[in-house]
Amino acid sequence: TRWITHFCAPVFVFLSGTSAYLQSLRKSKKELSLFLIKRGLWLILMEITLVNFAFTFDIHFSVTGLQTIWAIGISMVILGLFTWLPFSVILISGFVIVFGHNLLDYYEKGRETFSVWYSLLHRFGVYPLGGRYSLLVMYPFLSWAGLMMLGYCFGKLIRNYEGEQRKKVLLWLGLGITVFFIVIRLLDIYGDPDVINGNDKPIDSLYSFLEVSKYPPSLLYMCMTIGPSIIFLAFFDKASGAVSRFISVYGRVAFFYYILHFFLIHFISSIMFFIRGHKFADGIYPNGELPNFTKAGEGYNLFIVYLFWIGIVALLYPLCKWYDGYKTRHKEKWWLSYL
């Protein structure tokens, strides 16, 4: 279950880059650059305000977390600047970052402290901001930005092929990336912090084999997720029918769904917290901020979790369907492109 969720963030970042390339076909460089920069800054603002509140329900914002939306936002800002450069420079930069950023693991080995600036670049960390406030860096941006650049270049590839030829190219590309992951993972010589830190060998078990670093996403993590996703795209590129139309509703309003689903999940989690017998006072921290309304060691088995998951997705479908229709009917409203 945890493994399949790994696909969400890297595929979304990768295809955000692809979307940017497709927009470049109908926008000037200036228009595309400004759009990506403004949208990226907007997403960063949403991360440190709305998304953080959805996660914590803490009106004091004691912890500012930089997670998925921050990573997408800062990567869009960087890509917006890079769009002024030749395509070949973007492609080479993306490859150098994605394939080379794990060289920083050697620099990090044995070090116990890092500056907040380095952590923003390539290291998970928590940093005090003074008083009761702190900064949580979960998604360092370097490798995410490189992945979005490669997604941008991927957009040109899919534009150059159609029909069966595109399917063949995507299939071989996806298979190549997946085989590369398997080989490098078995060799255990590069591409993930575990290689340096001496953790369980990937050959020890299937779990060890698939347990690659997400914070930040290692080369092997990105290959493990992007390779199979491109294979999936090869077979479902032209998918149609009721299931495809149902799923596409969420895809067309992804940010809208993302925000709503965290509020709904956290709200239901809070209700269950009280149903289990807790009082409101049980969750108030000594310094006064509100809690997550969760308690270590409590929870439900995986079957129940799946039921909640399906129920939450279904509950949000009518709202997503309405908003999708609203966006379609009001394309003249520029601000809708930011939501």
Side-chain angles (χ1 to χ4, degrees):
T1 298
R2 177 56 181 143
W3 178 79
I4 198 67
T5 64
H6 279 320
F7 283 79
C8 184
V11 174
F12 197 94
V13 170
F14 185 75
L15 293 182
S16 293
T18 304
S19 175
Y21 178 83
L22 296 178
Q23 290 189 55
S24 74
L25 302 177
R26 61 179 186 271
K27 284 183 168 74
S28 67
K29 281 191 176 182
K30 181 179 179 180
E31 289 172 334
L32 178 63
S33 178
L34 286 175
F35 174 75
L36 290 173
I37 292 172
K38 288 188 293 184
R39 183 173 173 80
L41 293 174
W42 168 253
L43 290 176
I44 293 171
L45 176 63
M46 290 296 96
E47 176 73 275
I48 62 179
T49 55
L50 198 59
V51 176
N52 268 270
F53 182 72
F55 266 93
T56 65
F57 285 174
D58 178 10
I59 59 176
H60 302 288
F61 289 89
S62 303
V63 178
T64 299
L66 300 180
Q67 303 184 72
T68 312
I69 300 301
W70 138 265
I72 296 171
I74 190 64
S75 296
M76 281 186 173
V77 172
I78 294 169
L79 182 60
L81 298 173
F82 267 73
T83 53
W84 291 96
L85 301 175
F87 181 87
S88 59
V89 174
I90 300 174
L91 178 63
I92 292 170
S93 299
F95 267 112
V96 169
I97 293 171
V98 168
F99 284 86
H101 79 92
N102 279 118
L103 290 172
L104 292 173
D105 298 338
Y106 295 92
Y107 165 77
E108 296 171 10
K109 181 176 173 57
R111 293 177 177 265
E112 296 183 358
T113 59
F114 297 87
S115 71
V116 64
W117 300 110
Y118 183 84
S119 189
L120 289 171
L121 182 75
H122 196 256
R123 182 81 180 186
F124 179 101
V126 181
Y127 298 89
L129 297 177
R132 63 184 179 188
Y133 300 101
S134 60
L135 176 69
L136 169 63
V137 181
M138 288 190 68
Y139 280 66
F141 72 83
L142 179 62
S143 42
W144 294 112
L147 184 61
M148 187 175 286
M149 290 178 194
L150 290 186
Y152 179 88
C153 299
F154 180 74
K156 185 173 184 178
L157 184 147
I158 63 174
R159 281 283 299 175
N160 289 341
Y161 300 95
E162 291 291 341
E164 286 299 315
Q165 191 178 21
R166 179 193 287 180
K167 180 178 179 179
K168 184 177 180 180
V169 169
L170 292 178
L171 184 59
W172 281 110
L173 177 62
L175 286 171
I177 295 172
T178 303
V179 170
F180 175 82
F181 160 73
I182 294 171
V183 172
I184 300 301
R185 187 63 173 149
L186 287 174
L187 291 175
D188 199 29
I189 56 175
Y190 179 74
D192 201 78
D194 285 352
V195 176
I196 300 172
N197 296 332
N199 294 345
D200 293 342
K201 296 297 181 181
I203 198 65
D204 290 346
S205 70
L206 179 62
Y207 291 126
S208 296
F209 186 80
L210 296 176
E211 189 179 2
V212 288
S213 174
K214 182 182 180 181
Y215 308 103
S218 66
L219 169 62
L220 291 178
Y221 174 90
M222 289 187 277
C223 290
M224 180 187 73
T225 52
I226 299 300
S229 298
I230 293 177
I231 295 173
F232 180 90
L233 184 61
F235 288 101
F236 294 96
D237 182 25
K238 301 295 184 181
S240 59
V243 175
S244 177
R245 289 193 296 271
F246 176 82
I247 294 173
S248 295
V249 168
Y250 298 98
R252 288 192 294 268
V253 295
F255 184 61
F256 179 79
Y257 172 82
Y258 183 86
I259 296 296
L260 287 182
H261 99 290
F262 272 122
F263 272 103
L264 182 57
I265 289 170
H266 201 169
F267 176 74
I268 292 174
S269 174
S270 302
I271 295 300
M272 301 309 293
F273 178 81
F274 296 121
I275 288 176
R276 291 194 299 270
H278 295 289
K279 298 178 181 178
F280 188 86
D282 295 338
I284 300 298
Y285 296 149
N287 53 2
E289 73 266 21
L290 294 177
N292 280 324
F293 293 110
T294 59
K295 189 174 180 63
E298 294 185 353
Y300 305 92
N301 64 46
L302 199 55
F303 176 75
I304 299 299
V305 172
Y306 276 22
L307 291 180
F308 274 111
W309 162 61
I310 294 170
I312 286 167
V313 172
L315 279 171
L316 290 178
Y317 181 79
L319 274 175
C320 291
K321 181 72 172 177
W322 167 81
Y323 185 59
D324 181 32
Y326 184 82
K327 288 182 68 176
T328 302
R329 294 190 301 272
H330 297 86
K331 292 183 178 180
E332 75 283 358
K333 297 184 178 182
W334 61 269
W335 53 270
L336 288 174
S337 62
Y338 289 85
L339 299 174

